[in-house]
């Protein structure tokens, strides 16, 4: 039987760790008392949460004490538990709000490689609203709000834990797309007659799709499972996308809508260009739409075997892409020939590498070390003489990667500085040219009203 994933519960004394532990294991294994520091050793139990099974560790309250003292040795046990865990639940008391010891624990957790889920306990009623808002400044995103005592908010806790605890050996309706062994969902889009179906037929080694010189032969998006060098690929051929004014026929309107729908289900989208026609405005619109949908984008110049002035053409398309897609510079540009098959292996290899970047998650510690260097090298401006203070950054999601930046007066942070940070994330943290989302959050004063 596969070993269960592990969740460690951490927080300062008396925030409700043992109450949550007992709620998850369904038994009163941990002592619960109003006095802080009741739990001295790590306690472990098998937890069950809405069908999700895992091992949970109840840790001693994290205290700022000398390592040789009893509280100090308790803290060392807590740190060891977090290092061994798949994810840490960082509990705060929403009613008490954030205290200095919470901030110290947050600093330590940001330097850890263990993923962290922030949990605001005792959040029932209005009394916990202020603490929930204050907790945003800890740098771990929106907290899961719950009441361990009353069992409220457990569905939200399930959703927060699920991405960290899903295992490959568990049955699932779809493979985990962040698993390198999962099929690469690759959609091929482009203007009519760019050679999309011909390219897929060449990949498959058979005439699986109808092809012909008439534009618009492919009406539906067709998904085909294929194996490339021992790796699984799900190819999605789509109807050609024309300018809106040219989409008159109702069937073709449905086909374009279907192509856009296919983009939603893809991980990596290849925009196929006709090398004999170069890059046109419609190609940039299609590319922009793919990026807006948050998909990883690659550009492939087809019919390269018959292209004239190949070097000048390639450099011209590269320059036009960097100018027309300024929000994501350096989108992979490859050359292929659907007729001869040249360049297809490089295209698929690049697709897997691009998906890996699109699915990448940076440990909080590594992310904030980069962030501190970036802010030190180029401090944010001071509009009106008042400096914008940037506190922390955390990665809220993947596919596409999304980050949340916390600080004061961030609503005045210029677009140019936001681009500086996003470009740094791409360049220095291994995200390449995939779309990166940056959200700005400023903790609000709960008493401002």
């Amino acid at each position: 039987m596969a070993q269960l994933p592990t969740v460690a519960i951490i927080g300062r004394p008396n925030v409700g760790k043992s109450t949550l532990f007992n709620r998850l294991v369904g038994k009163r294994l941990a002592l619960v008392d109003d006095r802080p520091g009741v739990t001295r050793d790590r306690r472990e139990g098998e937890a069950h949460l809405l069908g999700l099974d895992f091992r949970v560790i109840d840790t001693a309250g994290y205290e700022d004490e000398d390592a040789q003292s009893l509280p100090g040795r308790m803290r060392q046990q807590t740190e060891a538990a977090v290092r061994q865990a798949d994810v840490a639940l960082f509990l705060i008391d929403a009613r008490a709000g954030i205290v200095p010891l919470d901030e110290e624990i947050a600093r330590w957790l940001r330097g850890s490689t263990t993923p962290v889920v922030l949990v605001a306990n005792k959040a029932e009623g209005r009394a916990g609203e202020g603490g929930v808002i204050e907790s945003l400044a800890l740098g771990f995103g929106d907290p899961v709000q719950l009441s361990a005592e009353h069992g409220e908010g457990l569905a939200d806790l399930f959703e927060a834990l699920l991405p960290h605890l899903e295992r490959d050996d568990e049955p699932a309706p779809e493979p985990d797309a962040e698993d390198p062994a999962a099929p690469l969902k690759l959609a091929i889009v482009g203007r009519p007659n760019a050679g999309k179906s011909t390219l897929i037929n060449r990949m498959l080694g058979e005439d699986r799709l109808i092809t012909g010189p008439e534009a618009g032969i492919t009406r539906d998006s067709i998904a085909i499972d294929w194996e490339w060098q021992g790796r699984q690929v799900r190819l999605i051929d789509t109807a050609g996308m024309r300018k809106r004014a040219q989409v008159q026929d109702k069937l073709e309107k449905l086909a374009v809508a279907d192509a856009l729908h296919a983009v939603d289900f893809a991980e990596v989208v290849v925009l196929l260009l006709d090398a004999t026609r170069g890059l046109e405005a419609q190609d940039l619109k299609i590319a922009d739409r793919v990026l807006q949908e948050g998909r990883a984008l690659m550009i492939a110049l087809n019919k390269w075997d018959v292209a004239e002035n190949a070097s000048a053409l390639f450099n011209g398309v590269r320059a036009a892409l960097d100018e027309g897609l300024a929000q994501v510079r350096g989108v992979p540009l490859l050359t292929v020939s659907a007729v001869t098959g040249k360049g297809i292996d490089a295209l698929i290899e690049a697709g897997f590498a691009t998906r890996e970047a699109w699915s990448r998650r940076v440990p909080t510690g590594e992310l904030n070390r980069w962030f501190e260097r970036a802010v030190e090298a180029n401090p944010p401006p001071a509009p009106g003489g008042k400096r914008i203070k940037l506190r922390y950054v955390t990665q809220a999601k993947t596919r596409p990667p999304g980050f949340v930046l916390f600080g004061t007066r961030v609503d005045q942070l210029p677009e140019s500085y936001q681009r500086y940070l996003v470009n740094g994330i791409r360049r220095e943290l291994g995200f390449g040219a995939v779309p990166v989302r940056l959200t700005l959050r400023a903790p609000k004063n709960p008493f401002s009203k």
Side-chain angles (χ1 to χ4, degrees):
M1 184 175 176
Q3 184 177 356
L4 290 174
T6 303
V7 175
I9 305 175
I10 183 174
R12 62 181 176 82
N14 213 30
V15 294
K17 297 185 298 298
S18 294
T19 304
L20 178 59
F21 175 87
N22 286 337
R23 173 70 62 179
L24 292 172
V25 300
K27 304 171 186 174
R28 292 183 61 84
L29 294 181
L31 283 171
V32 179
D33 194 278
D34 286 339
R35 289 172 298 154
V38 168
T39 303
R40 291 189 174 184
D41 301 308
R42 290 184 287 172
R43 286 185 174 82
E44 300 185 13
E46 192 167 311
H48 312 280
L49 179 61
L50 302 177
L52 188 63
D53 297 329
F54 53 93
R55 195 165 60 98
V56 62
I57 302 174
D58 177 28
T59 66
Y62 192 101
E63 299 193 53
D64 184 14
E65 295 284 349
D66 179 74
Q68 300 306 314
S69 66
L70 176 60
R73 294 197 302 275
M74 288 158 57
R75 190 187 70 212
Q76 290 177 324
Q77 286 282 313
T78 296
E79 292 176 351
V82 170
R83 282 195 297 272
Q84 296 166 12
D86 293 283
V87 60
L89 292 181
F90 176 19
L91 251 67
I92 60 124
D93 183 335
R95 297 192 172 196
I98 302 303
V99 302
L101 186 52
D102 291 320
E103 295 175 341
E104 180 185 335
I105 297 170
R107 280 194 294 272
W108 172 68
L109 286 174
R110 286 196 298 273
S112 167
T113 58
T114 302
V116 176
V117 171
L118 180 63
V119 177
N121 191 27
K122 309 179 189 179
E124 68 275 20
R126 298 182 63 88
E129 290 179 359
V132 169
I133 293 171
E134 287 179 17
S135 72
L136 296 173
L138 294 175
F140 298 107
D142 289 319
V144 174
Q145 300 178 47
L146 59 76
S147 169
E149 185 175 356
H150 299 106
E152 298 175 6
L154 294 180
D156 293 332
L157 182 62
F158 169 85
E159 288 189 9
L161 284 175
L162 188 62
H164 302 291
L165 301 184
E166 281 183 317
R167 292 286 174 89
D168 295 338
D169 54 0
E170 296 175 352
E174 280 289 322
D176 180 358
E178 295 186 38
D179 173 10
L184 169 65
K185 296 173 185 171
L186 189 73
I188 299 181
V189 304
R191 293 191 315 255
N193 212 26
K196 299 181 294 296
S197 297
T198 305
L199 178 63
I200 289 183
N201 284 337
R202 168 59 64 175
M203 290 174 173
L204 300 174
E206 59 178 303
D207 287 339
R208 184 78 170 268
L209 305 176
I210 301 172
T211 61
E214 302 86 5
I217 281 183
T218 302
R219 297 295 190 187
D220 303 311
S221 296
I222 303 169
I224 302 166
D225 290 325
W226 175 55
E227 185 174 300
W228 173 81
Q229 296 185 5
R231 305 176 77 177
Q232 298 302 312
V233 180
R234 181 166 297 164
L235 292 169
I236 305 169
D237 177 42
T238 59
M241 290 192 251
R242 304 193 203 194
K243 294 179 182 177
R244 188 177 298 274
Q246 296 177 351
V247 183
Q248 301 295 338
D249 178 70
K250 184 177 180 181
L251 185 58
E252 188 169 342
K253 286 183 181 179
L254 293 172
V256 172
D258 189 57
L260 295 175
H261 185 63
V263 168
D264 292 338
F265 288 94
E267 298 167 328
V268 178
V269 178
V270 175
L271 172 56
L272 199 65
L273 307 182
D274 183 338
T276 64
R277 298 172 60 182
L279 183 73
E280 296 184 1
Q282 178 67 358
D283 295 316
L284 288 174
K285 289 181 180 177
I286 296 172
D288 187 60
R289 178 63 180 265
V290 172
L291 294 172
Q292 285 179 19
E293 294 297 324
R295 300 301 177 264
L297 175 67
M298 295 167 46
I299 312 290
L301 281 164
N302 189 26
K303 308 180 185 178
W304 197 245
D305 52 316
V306 294
E308 298 179 359
N309 301 319
S311 179
L313 172 64
F314 186 90
N315 292 334
V317 171
R318 172 84 274 169
L321 285 172
D322 287 344
E323 182 179 348
L325 302 176
Q327 75 273 32
V328 182
R329 289 183 178 272
V331 168
L333 176 61
L334 300 101
T335 60
V336 296
S337 170
V339 173
T340 68
K342 189 171 183 180
I344 288 177
D345 285 345
L347 180 71
I348 303 299
E349 185 70 50
F352 276 101
T354 300
R355 182 182 69 169
E356 184 178 345
W358 187 63
S359 306
R360 177 167 162 70
R361 181 175 290 279
V362 182
T364 304
E366 179 186 347
L367 178 61
N368 278 278
R369 285 191 291 273
W370 163 81
F371 177 64
E372 289 170 5
R373 292 194 303 270
V375 172
E376 184 179 352
N378 182 16
K386 295 182 179 179
R387 182 163 292 283
I388 298 170
K389 187 170 184 181
L390 304 181
R391 297 179 179 274
Y392 316 112
V393 64
T394 185
Q395 185 172 358
K397 64 186 293 287
T398 62
R399 314 177 69 241
F403 298 84
V404 182
L405 174 62
F406 293 87
T408 55
R409 306 177 72 240
V410 289
D411 57 319
Q412 299 184 41
L413 193 66
E415 287 279 346
S416 58
Y417 196 87
Q418 295 178 47
R419 283 196 302 273
Y420 161 71
L421 293 176
V422 168
N423 289 337
I425 288 172
R426 284 204 189 94
R427 184 176 59 251
E428 298 181 38
L429 296 178
F431 288 97
V434 301
V436 169
R437 308 282 193 253
L438 182 65
T439 304
L440 309 180
R441 295 290 289 270
K444 297 177 182 176
N445 183 351
F447 307 106
S448 60
K449 294 182 180 178

